[in-house]
């Protein structure tokens, strides 16, 4: 039997393992997937998790529940040596394990692109994981609760100020959903005024949403501005020290929430800790058939897909174009990857990946959206419905689709759930408050001293 090792359990990794189980018999191969989290995250729904429109657990697909014939290792691959055909895996307890393989599939994904800016490591929250999306939501809800107890003034204004850095799809969708959530919360907080909200979107380039053309991009800026958002174009974040945001334009303001969505960077294990060939951006050089290598040289028994792979876009008229890093490609690449590996094991030639874009669609908050397919642009409620329709079909497993749909129906009937559970980040706080001081003191006294007394 061949040992197939999959690095990463995101879209591409999950769909590769899921489809390999369907295509290979039990004795054809052993499949192992290494992923530090026990689930695959459906990232397009993270902005809706921020807004409370989707339950956090519903965008997380359990690996063990759906990969019945795959060995799931809860660790992180720290290095890949294809010459010796093994990887090193860092386990949750900090120990390191060596795992040998016959065939490797690298679907490690990307990480947040972070710049050396003072204060972001202390105050910024990313938007790559379910935990981050929940933290942003709880921080916003807690801020409203605290602000309602304060008189109008600088501190209340600070609590009701949020900043999102990055004008790509993740940043714009998160900004639009946060703005929609904050506006709806005012109904439950009559002490607060809309004029006290201050939501900023900071983008270093002259336009947002580079995946759409200029006209819908300008419309999104105007739309968000009309709803009370503040969009800073051609602007960079200079500092966030002490919770004070300083922009390259010279503007300064205190911001309670700082969300970092400034794009992707290559996964460190791919960029720096492998002998597999990478390009100048730190991505694996990958052929159209998803084998690692160039047109002239194939790296045997090595495959890649998703955000960590530079895969030629055969549908693009631009020479040298690569597929963009999004879920639309990663899911389809994962499915084809499983087909190609199964074909290779049977001695057949793998197929090349070619997918014509279905267009791009973004949510801008409840009832607001934008869609573009070539020259067709749809805005507003219809685009928002298209966003929900597409993604509920795209999220894996009927169980997850059903849960998401059920929650949307409940939210339509009864409104958003506005309960903050920020306290779950300190689960022992309530218990420690109940512990009498004498017991706390005895915990600090060594047993010998306690017996002597």
């Amino acid at each position: 039997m061949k040992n197939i090792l999959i690095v990463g359990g995101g879209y591409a990794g999950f769909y590769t393992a899921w489809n390999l189980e369907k295509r290979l018999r039990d004795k054809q191969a052993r499949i192992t997937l290494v992923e530090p989290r026990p689930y695959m995250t459906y990232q397009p729904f993270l902005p809706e998790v921020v807004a409370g429109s989707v339950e956090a657990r519903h965008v997380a697909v359990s690996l063990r529940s759906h990969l019945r014939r795959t060995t799931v290792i809860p660790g992180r691959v720290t290095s890949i040596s294809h010459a010796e055909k093994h990887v090193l895996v860092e386990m949750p307890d900090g120990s390191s394990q060596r795992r040998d393989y016959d065939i490797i599939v690298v679907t490690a994904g990307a990480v947040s692109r972070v710049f050396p800016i003072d204060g972001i490591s202390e105050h910024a929250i990313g938007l790559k994981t379910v935990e981050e999306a929940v933290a942003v939501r709880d921080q916003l809800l807690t801020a409203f609760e605290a602000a309602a107890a304060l008189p109008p003034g600088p501190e209340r204004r600070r609590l009701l100020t949020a900043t999102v850095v990055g004008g790509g799809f993740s940043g714009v969708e998160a900004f639009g959903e946060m703005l929609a959530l904050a506006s709806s919360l005012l109904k439950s907080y009559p002490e607060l005024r809309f004029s006290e909200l201050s939501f900023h979107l900071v983008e270093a380039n002259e336009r947002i949403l580079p995946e759409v053309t200029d006209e819908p991009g300008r419309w999104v800026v105007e739309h968000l501005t009309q709803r009370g958002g503040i969009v800073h174009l051609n602007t960079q974040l200079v500092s966030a020290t002490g919770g004070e945001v300083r922009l390259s334009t010279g503007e300064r303001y205190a911001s309670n929430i700082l969300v970092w969505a400034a794009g992707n960077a290559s996964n460190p294990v791919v960029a720096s800790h492998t002998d597999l060939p990478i390009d100048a951006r730190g991505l694996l050089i990958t052929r159209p058939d998803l084998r690692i290598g160039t047109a002239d040289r194939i790296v045997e028994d090595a495959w890649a897909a998703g955000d960590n792979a530079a895969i030629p876009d055969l549908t693009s008229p631009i020479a040298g174009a690569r597929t963009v890093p999004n879920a639309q490609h990663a899911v389809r690449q994962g499915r084809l990857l499983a087909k190609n590996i199964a074909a290779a094991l049977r001695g057949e030639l793998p197929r090349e990946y070619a997918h014509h874009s279905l267009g791009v669609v973004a949510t801008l908050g409840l009832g607001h959206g934008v869609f573009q397919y070539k020259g067709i642009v749809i805005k507003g409620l219809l685009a928002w419905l298209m966003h929900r329709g597409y993604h509920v079909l795209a999220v894996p497993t009927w169980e997850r689709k059903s849960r998401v749909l059920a929650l949307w129906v409940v939210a339509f009937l009864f409104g958003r759930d506005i309960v903050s559970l920020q306290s779950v980040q300190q689960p022992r706080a309530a218990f420690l408050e109940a512990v009498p001081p004498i017991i706390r003191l005895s915990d600090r006294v060594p047993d010998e001293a306690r017996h002597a007394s």
Side-chain angles (χ1 to χ4, degrees):
M1 286 200 299
K2 294 288 187 179
N3 290 316
I4 302 174
L5 180 74
I6 302 172
V7 180
Y11 303 118
F14 173 79
Y15 274 93
T16 299
W18 203 19
N19 284 274
L20 278 174
E21 289 187 352
K22 300 173 184 177
R23 294 181 174 278
L24 299 179
R25 298 187 303 274
D26 288 348
K27 295 185 178 180
Q28 273 190 284
R30 283 187 290 266
I31 307 168
T32 302
L33 186 146
V34 184
E35 167 60 43
R37 292 183 175 84
Y39 54 82
M40 185 276 281
T41 304
Y42 190 72
Q43 290 186 348
F45 272 152
L46 291 184
E48 295 211 42
V49 172
V50 171
S53 300
V54 174
E55 171 62 35
R57 292 182 185 273
H58 297 172
V59 305
V61 180
S62 171
L63 297 177
R64 293 183 183 273
S65 295
H66 297 92
L67 302 179
R68 302 300 178 86
R69 289 170 45 210
T70 298
T71 300
V72 178
I73 299 177
R76 187 184 307 275
V77 172
T78 57
S79 70
I80 301 171
S81 175
H82 192 62
E84 299 178 0
K85 288 198 171 181
H86 76 255
V87 300
L88 293 181
V89 182
E90 182 182 350
M91 302 302 289
D93 62 0
S95 63
S96 183
Q97 293 184 4
R98 169 175 167 154
R99 292 279 174 167
D100 297 322
Y101 63 82
D102 297 309
I103 298 171
I104 191 167
V105 178
V106 187
T107 52
V111 298
S112 295
R113 182 178 59 178
V114 181
F115 303 104
I117 299 173
D118 291 339
I120 63 170
S121 60
E122 293 83 9
H123 301 286
I125 303 175
L127 204 61
K128 286 280 188 186
T129 68
V130 174
E131 295 87 347
E132 290 171 328
V134 171
V136 173
R137 168 180 163 79
D138 284 343
Q139 191 171 346
L140 180 58
L141 294 174
T142 302
F144 266 74
E145 196 69 26
L150 295 175
E155 178 59 15
R156 190 153 99 170
R157 180 83 175 180
R158 182 192 71 81
L159 287 169
L160 300 177
T161 299
T163 303
V164 177
V165 180
F169 262 80
S170 294
V172 170
E173 289 189 322
F175 183 75
E177 292 287 359
M178 290 171 65
L179 189 59
L181 174 60
S183 300
S184 69
L185 284 173
L186 294 173
K187 300 174 186 177
S188 302
Y189 292 90
E191 306 92 336
L192 306 177
R193 298 290 178 267
F194 181 81
S195 59
E196 294 179 290
L197 302 181
S198 185
F199 280 63
H200 300 257
L201 176 64
V202 180
E203 169 54 42
N205 295 312
E206 62 182 3
R207 50 166 298 180
I208 61 174
L209 297 179
E211 296 88 346
V212 303
T213 54
D214 290 345
E215 190 277 328
R218 284 192 297 269
W219 177 84
V220 171
V221 172
E222 294 170 0
H223 173 77
L224 293 173
T225 303
Q226 290 170 0
R227 288 168 51 195
I230 304 169
V231 181
H232 306 266
L233 299 178
N234 290 313
T235 305
Q236 297 178 353
L237 178 68
V238 175
S239 170
T241 305
E244 182 189 60
V245 168
R246 288 200 302 120
L247 303 178
S248 57
T249 57
E251 184 175 353
R252 298 186 179 198
Y253 58 90
S255 183
N256 179 50
I257 301 174
L258 178 59
V259 178
W260 186 268
N264 296 332
S266 177
N267 194 296
V269 70
V270 172
S272 306
H273 302 287
T274 181
D275 57 355
L276 293 167
I278 60 174
D279 64 9
R281 298 174 297 165
L283 303 178
L284 291 165
I285 299 173
T286 309
R287 294 160 48 91
D289 59 13
L290 306 182
R291 287 183 288 184
I292 295 176
T294 63
D296 302 323
R297 177 179 174 271
I298 299 172
V299 179
E300 296 294 336
D301 300 323
W303 305 75
D307 294 357
N308 64 188
I311 300 171
D313 188 350
L314 300 183
T315 66
S316 174
I318 303 173
R322 299 289 185 264
T323 57
V324 297
N326 62 23
Q328 195 175 135
H329 283 300
V331 168
R332 288 168 174 81
Q333 288 168 5
R335 289 171 177 158
L336 179 61
L337 193 48
K339 292 180 183 178
N340 283 352
I341 292 174
L345 290 176
R346 295 192 298 265
E348 301 171 4
L349 290 177
R351 290 170 44 201
E352 293 186 336
Y353 176 76
H355 169 64
H356 292 272
S357 174
L358 301 176
V360 291
V361 62
T363 174
L364 304 174
L366 195 64
H368 307 284
V370 61
F371 167 83
Q372 181 173 21
Y373 175 71
K374 297 182 179 179
I376 302 172
V377 177
I378 300 174
K379 308 167 186 174
L381 178 62
L382 179 57
W384 176 76
L385 291 172
M386 293 172 66
H387 175 274
R388 286 205 158 181
Y390 172 79
H391 284 298
V392 79
L393 291 174
V395 68
T397 80
W398 283 104
E399 175 254 347
R400 278 298 182 259
K401 298 179 199 295
S402 301
R403 291 182 184 275
V404 171
L405 280 171
L407 184 64
W408 283 343
V409 171
V410 171
F412 176 78
L413 295 174
F414 302 105
R416 303 173 190 259
D417 189 335
I418 62 171
V419 175
S420 169
L421 295 178
Q422 192 171 29
S423 58
V424 301
Q425 297 174 35
Q426 295 87 31
R428 298 183 67 245
F431 173 75
L432 291 175
E433 288 180 3
V435 176
I438 186 67
I439 297 180
R440 296 187 200 180
L441 179 62
S442 67
D443 286 343
R444 299 192 185 98
V445 178
D447 288 342
E448 297 83 359
R450 195 180 304 139
H451 293 317
S453 62

